[in-house]
């Protein structure tokens, strides 16, 4: 169990560090319920989700990665640069970050999508922009598939839409960073190879190279993430293999999503698996930035410019 908890924390570092002014009076009245500050969403199955609203402008909900990383790191390392132009809605998914866990394990993709929709309804928004980082891309894509009329646009930041491909890519890249004697047998099961690669990278102090261009950036991200409580339940459920929803490829679903999409990609990001070039969104544009898996931290000015420019050009 201790070894599994260590593996989970390592994986969490890999994947986690990793609206609109509506035209009708009714929509405007609903939007007025969106006020800045911390709040709590009590879901329909009685789970308390932590929510923080900050900034001004087009409402934009941030769907964090991990799985289970929470939204705090992005809020302090990337989202804060957007708050003069966007009303950022940071929420921690159930069993993640500062949010509570359900009494019984309830982490299906359908439930995660329902949490997002209940949040939108509680905030009184007609539509919003979804911004998703890393593993959060799967949840954002699933939400947009079920509620396309509620999504003004998608902003995908170093997004993972095919989790199995992401794991394979991460393991392959991690293996190249290791000396031959420490490399796992490629014939071993995937999760076993993940554990072996992560353990060896940690031992040799090379794990930061999986998603950061410099160890100083990795250290900064780690300090921020450790400054708030972390709920490991959701991530534990995913990495234990008990949630088949998260083992599927969400790329095919992109072909039927009509909203504008901005893909922000790290030029040397080796952990996302399926590249944005394989995404099939009818209205998509891709911005490639130097760096790896955390473009908002590695290229803050270019990240801000790309997001702000994209959102300001959205149809009203």
């Amino acid at each position: 169990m201790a070894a599994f908890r260590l593996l989970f924390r390592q994986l969490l570092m890999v994947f986690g560090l990793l609206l609109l002014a509506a035209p009708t009076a009714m929509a405007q009245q609903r939007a007025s319920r969106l006020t800045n500050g911390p709040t709590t969403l009590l879901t329909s199955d009685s789970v308390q989700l932590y929510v923080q609203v900050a900034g001004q402008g087009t409402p934009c909900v941030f769907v964090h990665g991990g799985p289970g990383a929470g939204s705090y790191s992005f809020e302090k390392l990337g989202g804060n640069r957007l708050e003069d132009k966007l009303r950022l809605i940071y929420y921690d998914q159930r069993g993640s970050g500062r949010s509570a866990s359900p009494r019984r394990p309830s982490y299906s993709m359908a439930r995660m999508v329902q949490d997002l929709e209940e949040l939108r309804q509680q905030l009184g928004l007609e539509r919003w922009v979804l911004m998703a980082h890393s593993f959060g891309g799967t949840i954002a894509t699933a939400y947009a598939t079920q509620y396309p009329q509620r999504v003004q646009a998608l902003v995908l930041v170093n997004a993972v839409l095919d989790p199995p491909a992401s794991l394979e890519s991460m393991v392959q890249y991690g293996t190249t960073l290791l000396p031959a004697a420490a490399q796992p047998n490629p014939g071993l099961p995937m999760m076993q190879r993940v554990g072996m690669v992560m353990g060896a990278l940690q031992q040799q102090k090379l794990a930061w190279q999986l998603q950061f261009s410099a160890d100083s950036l990795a250290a900064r991200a780690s300090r921020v993430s450790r400054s708030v409580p972390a709920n490991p339940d959701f991530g534990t459920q995913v990495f234990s293999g008990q949630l088949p929803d998260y083992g599927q490829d969400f790329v095919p679903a992109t072909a039927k999503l009509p909203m504008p999409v901005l893909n922000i990609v790290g030029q040397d990001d080796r952990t996302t698996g399926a590249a944005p070039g394989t995404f099939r969104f009818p209205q998509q544009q891709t911005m490639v930035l130097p760096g790896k898996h955390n473009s908002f931290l590695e290229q803050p000015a270019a990240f801000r410019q790309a997001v702000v420019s994209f959102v300001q050009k959205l149809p009203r």
Side-chain angles (χ1 to χ4, degrees):
M1 180 61 70
F4 178 79
R5 286 195 295 266
L6 176 61
L7 171 59
F8 167 68
R9 288 194 295 269
Q10 293 167 345
L11 291 171
L12 191 60
M13 284 295 295
V14 170
F15 293 104
L17 293 180
L18 336 290
L19 217 111
L20 178 69
T24 67
M26 181 178 295
Q28 291 170 354
Q29 183 178 11
R30 289 174 180 170
S32 67
R33 291 163 47 192
L34 182 64
T35 57
N36 287 5
T39 186
T40 299
L41 166 67
L42 184 64
T43 68
S44 58
D45 62 343
S46 301
V47 178
Q48 289 190 332
L49 303 185
Y50 179 88
V51 181
Q52 171 77 24
V53 180
Q56 59 185 355
T58 301
C60 175
V61 61
F62 178 70
V63 186
H64 66 74
S71 62
Y72 186 76
S73 290
F74 175 77
E75 177 186 350
K76 298 304 179 183
L77 298 173
N80 54 356
R81 293 177 172 270
L82 303 172
E83 291 170 5
D84 63 329
K85 299 295 183 181
L86 296 173
R87 183 74 64 88
L88 267 296
I89 303 158
Y90 308 100
Y91 86 106
D92 291 351
Q93 297 148 20
R94 58 176 55 213
S96 305
R98 294 155 289 181
S99 289
S101 302
R103 294 175 185 172
R104 298 179 180 178
S106 179
Y107 294 108
S108 69
M109 180 61 79
R111 183 65 249 188
M112 305 303 275
V113 167
Q114 186 174 346
D115 286 352
L116 256 178
E117 177 59 8
E118 290 178 9
L119 175 59
R120 182 196 66 79
Q121 293 175 9
Q122 176 171 298
L123 296 177
L125 298 172
E126 285 296 307
R127 294 194 297 165
W128 53 2
V129 173
L130 265 66
M131 178 183 295
H133 177 242
S134 192
F135 179 84
T138 62
I139 298 173
T141 301
Y143 178 89
T145 299
Q146 185 167 344
Y147 298 102
Q149 73 280 14
R150 301 303 184 188
V151 181
Q152 186 180 3
L154 285 172
V155 178
L156 301 177
V157 185
N158 312 105
V160 171
L161 296 191
D162 185 351
S166 174
L167 278 176
E168 184 64 47
S169 178
M170 183 268 291
V171 168
Q172 289 183 5
Y173 178 53
T175 298
T176 68
L177 300 175
L178 295 170
Q183 295 178 1
N185 185 329
L188 293 174
M190 167 58 69
M191 292 311 295
Q192 187 174 348
R193 284 189 290 139
V194 170
M196 294 176 69
V197 168
M198 288 304 304
L201 289 172
Q202 290 285 355
Q203 188 176 44
Q204 301 200 26
K205 303 185 184 305
L206 296 173
W208 63 268
Q209 293 191 35
L210 283 173
Q211 60 171 277
F212 294 97
S213 298
D215 58 356
S216 59
L217 294 174
R220 182 183 174 196
S222 179
R223 286 194 301 271
V224 171
S225 67
R226 292 198 308 265
S227 64
V228 295
N231 184 345
D233 287 355
F234 177 41
T236 299
Q237 290 286 322
V238 174
F239 289 122
S240 68
Q242 300 179 48
L243 297 174
D245 289 358
Y246 302 98
Q248 64 177 292
D249 180 3
F250 290 84
V251 172
T254 64
K256 297 181 180 180
L257 297 181
M259 66 286 298
V261 178
L262 171 64
N263 294 310
I264 297 179
V265 184
Q267 188 174 28
D268 195 32
D269 190 349
R270 309 291 187 88
T271 63
T272 57
T278 68
F279 299 170
R280 306 171 193 172
F281 298 104
Q283 294 191 69
Q284 67 175 327
Q285 61 185 80
T286 299
M287 173 69 69
V288 180
L289 299 178
K292 293 189 176 181
H293 193 58
N294 294 274
S295 295
F296 56 87
L297 176 59
E298 299 206 28
Q299 300 294 329
F303 170 78
R304 170 188 155 77
Q305 177 60 34
V307 174
V308 170
S309 177
F310 173 74
V311 172
Q312 288 180 338
K313 294 176 183 177
L314 293 175
R316 301 297 176 177

